[in-house]
Structures are given as structure tokens and as C-alpha cells.
Amino acid sequence: MGRVQGRVAIVTGGARGMGACHARVLAGEGARVVLTDVDGAGAEVAAGIGKGAVFVRHDVRSADDWARVVATAEETFGAVDILVNNAGTAVHEPIERMSEERFRGEWEVNTLGVFLGMKAVAGAMARGGRGSIVNICSISSLVGEAGAVGYTASKFAAYGMTRVAAKEFGPKGIRVNSVHPGPIDTAMLHDAPGSEEAVLMMKRMSPLGRIGAPEEVSAVVLFLASDEARFVTGAGYVVDGGLLA
Ligand SMILES: NC(=O)c1ccc[n+]([C@@H]2O[C@H](COP(=O)([O-])OP(=O)(O)OC[C@H]3O[C@@H](n4cnc5c(N)ncnc54)[C@H](O)[C@@H]3O)[C@@H](O)[C@H]2O)c1
């Protein structure tokens, strides 16, 4: 039996990077997956997983889109048991150069998107009598990252909402936890300005001397999604190779 056998998972931002990896890992352990993204490349990721996965084009900033995603999960697979709020965006500007528009834009994906997702799945999870929500935050939810004011603010907020939701949803049988990756080998990390230098510096600062692989974050997501974590809620798991230590 797989560790999430028969569960139905929604994974946002599944077209590439860590989201695609979380979807594959959950499917590999028996979950059926609704993989969503604004990027249509998610359809290929779902096709690669096979008949246990469907792709829905989905903007996490839209409540209407969220309603379609939940309806697709219930109509196609009969339930919603797991939500991985993974979609995210990172803008690199110091406070004095950051425009109000870009600040709002980043907040809409990383904070509003997480709020709308938790709100959208709560009813379906409560109907099923169980649920696990995993909000992908960041080490930038725990310490300030210079040059990333919108990212840091939006990820601190997502961490705070995780704890509120854990308290509100616990009585419904829904657990809510956060995962805080450090530098992970995806486009988001490498596309950042000055990333080569930053990666070298983080490798030097990290006790493990390297950046992480998406699979190393998926392993924690899988644990939190599964019944192995049945007494874990309102918790934040740092997956950073010891960088914050
Ligand atoms: N890579 C890292 O070092 C790192 C570190 C800490 C946290 N994170 C977080 O992990 C998550 C995944 O990051 P990644 O590195 O795989 O990034 P990525 O840029 O490779 O993937 C992000 C995905 O989110 C999608 N997306 C963006 N806006 C969206 C929207 N409005 N609606 C739906 N989908 C949208 C993108 O199309 C993309 O497929 C993000 O929340 C990110 O903030 C990443």
C-alpha cells in the first residue's frame, strides 16, 4: 500500500519545479492528483503521471478558479483529502525600488492564493471527515530576506494563516501545516538576479554544504499529507539543509 493510497490531492503550481515533483511523489504513493497551474505545461506533467492525474488551468488568485478545481476533484476522483498550496512567485527588489503594483501582485499569489485555497477546500474536506493542507512557505517566512520585501511579507503571512487554519479546521478533522524550504534547485532559485553568487554563498553557509533537491521537500510534504502525521497540525517544517541553524 502507498503512504497516501486512495487519497485525492490538489497540487497548485504543478507545471514545473517543486509542484511537479510533489504531484509525482504523491501519485507514486497512491494518491490521485489534480495538478493545477496558470502554465499549460502542467498538462504534460499530468499526462506523464498517467490516469491518476488530471490538469486544470488555474490561477490561485481567482475564487472562481478554485471552485472549478474543487469541483473537478470531487467529480473526477470523488473527494478532496490533500491540498498542497505550492504555487508561488518571487520578485527581487529592495524596498525603495519595489513598486506598489508588484508588491500587491506578489501578495495576491503567495498570500491571497493560499487563503482562497484553504477556504475552497475546507467544505469538501469536512464532508469527507479528513484533510491535510500543506502550505509551502519559505525560510523567508521566518527571517527577513534583504531585496525581497514582498516575498518575505507574503510568506510570513502564509505561515501565520497556517496557524489560524490549524486552529479553525482542527475540529473538522483537517490538519494544516507549513513547509519552509531553503534554497532548492528550481527555476525560481536560478532565475533570481545574482543567483550564482547567492547560491555559492548559501552553500558556504549551509552545514550540509549544498542546496536542496525538489524531492527532499516532497518527502516532507508526503509525510505531512499522510496519516503518519495524524497528530501534527499547526507546525512548520524547515527543509533548508541547516541554513537557518
Ligand atoms: N526554489 C526555492 O529555492 C524555494 C525556496 C523556498 C520556497 N519556495 C517556494 O516553493 C514553491 C514552489 O517554488 P519553485 O521553486 O518550484 O518555483 P517555480 O517558479 O519553478 O514554480 C512555481 C509555479 O507556480 C506557478 N504559478 C505562479 N503564479 C501562479 C498563479 N497565480 N496561479 C497558479 N500557478 C501559479 C508557476 O507557473 C510555476 O509553475 C513556491 O511557493 C516558492 O515560493 C521555493
Side-chain angles (χ1 to χ4, degrees):
M1 285 283 274
R3 291 165 66 190
V4 284
Q5 192 68 42
R7 301 292 160 96
V8 179
I10 296 169
V11 180
T12 69
R16 68 179 199 182
M18 280 190 261
C21 189
H22 302 330
R24 289 189 191 105
V25 166
L26 289 166
E29 289 290 339
R32 287 158 299 162
V33 179
V34 178
L35 188 148
T36 85
D37 207 295
V38 280
D39 181 347
E44 286 152 47
V45 179
I49 291 172
K51 67 175 169 40
V54 293
F55 171 69
V56 178
R57 199 183 284 269
H58 168 213
D59 187 331
V60 296
R61 298 169 295 184
S62 158
D64 289 346
D65 277 13
W66 271 109
R68 264 192 317 109
V69 168
V70 171
T72 303
E74 288 194 303
E75 282 158 21
T76 314
F77 298 129
V80 180
D81 301 304
I82 297 162
L83 168 63
V84 186
N85 263 322
N86 166 82
T89 186
V91 176
H92 295 271
E93 290 286 8
I95 294 171
E96 288 170 290
R97 277 216 302 272
M98 181 78 166
S99 70
E100 187 178 328
E101 192 189 354
R102 292 190 89 189
F103 185 92
R104 282 184 199 278
E106 198 168 27
W107 176 85
E108 284 191 9
V109 178
N110 296 349
T111 306
L112 181 68
V114 170
F115 160 71
L116 292 176
M118 295 196 295
K119 184 171 162 148
V121 299
M125 286 183 172
R127 278 194 289 285
R130 66 183 181 199
S132 172
I133 298 174
V134 183
N135 292 331
I136 305 299
C137 294
S138 171
I139 53 172
S140 304
S141 308
L142 304 167
V143 292
E145 186 184 343
V149 63
Y151 189 73
T152 305
S154 63
K155 292 289 187 179
F156 260 76
Y159 181 34
M161 288 192 299
T162 303
R163 293 177 158 222
V164 174
K167 289 185 172 177
E168 291 188 8
F169 294 172
K172 301 178 201 283
I174 303 168
R175 297 181 295 101
V176 191
N177 294 289
S178 54
V179 172
H180 302 261
I184 307 296
D185 191 9
T186 70
M188 182 180 280
L189 180 70
H190 296 296
D191 288 351
S195 67
E196 268 178 48
E197 222 174 274
V199 165
L200 275 177
M201 190 184 72
M202 287 187 285
K203 282 181 178 169
R204 272 199 300 273
M205 286 169 66
S206 164
L208 298 184
R210 62 178 179 85
I211 61 170
E215 291 76 12
E216 292 170 320
V217 181
S218 299
V220 179
V221 171
L222 172 64
F223 164 69
L224 291 171
S226 78
D227 286 345
E228 291 158 31
R230 60 190 169 273
F231 196 53
V232 181
T233 195
Y237 279 68
V238 175
V239 187
D240 71 342
L243 194 61
L244 288 193

Short mmCIF file of all heavy atoms in Angstrom, two decimals, residues 19 65 80-81 86-87 122-123 140 159 192 204 212 224:
data_model
loop_
_atom_site.label_atom_id
_atom_site.label_comp_id
_atom_site.label_asym_id
_atom_site.label_seq_id
_atom_site.Cartn_x
_atom_site.Cartn_y
_atom_site.Cartn_z
N GLY A 19 6.39 21.86 -7.45
CA GLY A 19 4.99 21.42 -7.56
C GLY A 19 4.87 20.15 -8.40
O GLY A 19 4.16 19.20 -8.03
N ASP A 65 -11.86 30.16 -10.07
CA ASP A 65 -10.97 29.07 -10.49
C ASP A 65 -10.87 28.00 -9.40
O ASP A 65 -10.90 26.80 -9.68
CB ASP A 65 -9.56 29.60 -10.80
CG ASP A 65 -9.43 30.16 -12.20
OD1 ASP A 65 -10.47 30.37 -12.86
OD2 ASP A 65 -8.28 30.39 -12.63
N VAL A 80 -11.80 15.49 -1.81
CA VAL A 80 -10.55 16.27 -1.68
C VAL A 80 -9.97 15.94 -0.30
O VAL A 80 -10.60 16.22 0.72
CB VAL A 80 -10.79 17.80 -1.77
CG1 VAL A 80 -9.46 18.54 -1.63
CG2 VAL A 80 -11.48 18.18 -3.07
N ASP A 81 -8.82 15.31 -0.27
CA ASP A 81 -8.21 14.91 1.00
C ASP A 81 -6.95 15.73 1.32
O ASP A 81 -6.60 15.88 2.48
CB ASP A 81 -7.78 13.43 0.95
CG ASP A 81 -8.96 12.52 0.67
OD1 ASP A 81 -9.95 12.57 1.42
OD2 ASP A 81 -8.90 11.75 -0.32
N ASN A 86 1.23 25.23 -3.29
CA ASN A 86 2.64 25.35 -3.68
C ASN A 86 2.91 26.51 -4.63
O ASN A 86 4.03 27.03 -4.66
CB ASN A 86 3.07 24.03 -4.33
CG ASN A 86 4.37 24.14 -5.08
OD1 ASN A 86 5.45 24.07 -4.49
ND2 ASN A 86 4.29 24.35 -6.40
N ALA A 87 1.91 26.94 -5.42
CA ALA A 87 2.15 28.00 -6.42
C ALA A 87 2.74 29.22 -5.74
O ALA A 87 2.32 29.60 -4.64
CB ALA A 87 0.84 28.38 -7.12
N ALA A 122 -12.07 23.57 2.38
CA ALA A 122 -12.49 23.22 3.75
C ALA A 122 -13.80 22.42 3.74
O ALA A 122 -13.92 21.40 4.44
CB ALA A 122 -12.62 24.48 4.60
N GLY A 123 -14.77 22.87 2.94
CA GLY A 123 -16.08 22.19 2.92
C GLY A 123 -15.96 20.76 2.43
O GLY A 123 -16.50 19.83 3.03
N SER A 140 12.05 32.37 4.19
CA SER A 140 11.71 33.81 4.20
C SER A 140 10.37 34.06 4.90
O SER A 140 9.88 35.19 4.90
CB SER A 140 11.65 34.36 2.77
OG SER A 140 12.87 34.13 2.12
N TYR A 159 2.51 31.77 6.54
CA TYR A 159 2.84 31.00 7.76
C TYR A 159 1.83 31.31 8.87
O TYR A 159 1.31 30.41 9.55
CB TYR A 159 4.27 31.37 8.19
CG TYR A 159 4.80 30.65 9.41
CD1 TYR A 159 4.45 29.34 9.69
CD2 TYR A 159 5.68 31.31 10.28
CE1 TYR A 159 4.97 28.69 10.83
CE2 TYR A 159 6.20 30.67 11.39
CZ TYR A 159 5.83 29.36 11.67
OH TYR A 159 6.35 28.74 12.77
N ALA A 192 16.64 34.17 -10.12
CA ALA A 192 16.79 35.38 -9.30
C ALA A 192 18.06 36.12 -9.70
O ALA A 192 19.08 35.49 -10.00
CB ALA A 192 16.86 34.99 -7.82
N ARG A 204 28.16 27.85 1.13
CA ARG A 204 29.22 28.03 2.13
C ARG A 204 28.63 28.11 3.54
O ARG A 204 29.20 27.61 4.50
CB ARG A 204 30.01 29.32 1.83
CG ARG A 204 31.16 29.10 0.87
CD ARG A 204 32.19 30.22 0.95
NE ARG A 204 31.64 31.52 0.63
CZ ARG A 204 31.56 32.03 -0.61
NH1 ARG A 204 31.99 31.33 -1.64
NH2 ARG A 204 31.05 33.21 -0.82
N GLY A 212 19.21 22.26 -1.92
CA GLY A 212 18.38 21.05 -1.86
C GLY A 212 17.80 20.67 -3.20
O GLY A 212 17.77 21.47 -4.14
N LEU A 224 3.58 14.93 5.72
CA LEU A 224 2.50 15.75 6.30
C LEU A 224 1.15 15.39 5.69
O LEU A 224 0.12 15.48 6.35
CB LEU A 224 2.82 17.24 6.11
CG LEU A 224 3.99 17.75 6.95
CD1 LEU A 224 4.37 19.17 6.53
CD2 LEU A 224 3.64 17.71 8.44
#
